[in-house]
Amino acid sequence: MTQTATPEKTGARTDEAATLIGDARERIDALDDRIIGLIQERMAVSAVIQEARITSGGRRVNLAREMEVLSHYSDALGKPGTTLAMTMLELCRGRI
């Protein structure tokens, strides 16, 4: 159920700006849902990898691979990307 965007709810000073902000917020909410779904999918894939590594006698975590992931996010998003990647890696560790 979509609520009508009003200046009071959005902090906008006009109805037109409130509508634009309301529409943009709906898009952000949809993007957040997709991002959450992708992270959950990544967690599942990571669990498969960890299981295979552990059952073959390896360690649960491959630190060299994690450094590659951190570098990839940092290159793409700067320092906040590293923080984001650390959080994502934490979510994906130890689910077995």
Side-chain angles (χ1 to χ4, degrees):
M1 174 171 79
T2 303
Q3 294 182 334
T4 303
T6 64
E8 296 80 25
K9 290 181 184 177
T10 64
R13 302 228 174 197
T14 66
D15 289 339
E16 294 80 17
T19 298
L20 184 125
I21 291 168
D23 292 346
R25 285 180 177 172
E26 285 182 24
R27 178 83 171 116
I28 285 173
D29 290 345
L31 289 167
D32 286 344
D33 288 343
R34 288 174 46 201
I35 291 166
I36 291 167
L38 288 170
I39 291 171
Q40 290 170 331
E41 182 178 349
R42 190 189 193 286
M43 290 167 66
V45 172
S46 181
V48 169
I49 292 168
Q50 290 175 51
E51 179 69 30
R53 193 180 297 122
I54 290 167
T55 58
S56 71
R59 298 176 55 125
R60 178 176 53 86
V61 175
N62 180 334
L63 295 178
R65 173 61 181 154
E66 287 197 358
M67 293 306 295
E68 289 175 11
V69 172
L70 290 171
S71 179
H72 181 68
Y73 275 72
S74 177
D75 291 347
L77 302 171
K79 186 176 179 182
T82 303
T83 303
L84 177 63
M86 288 294 295
T87 300
M88 184 190 57
L89 289 169
E90 183 179 344
L91 285 167
C92 292
R93 284 188 208 122
R95 297 293 180 182
I96 298 173

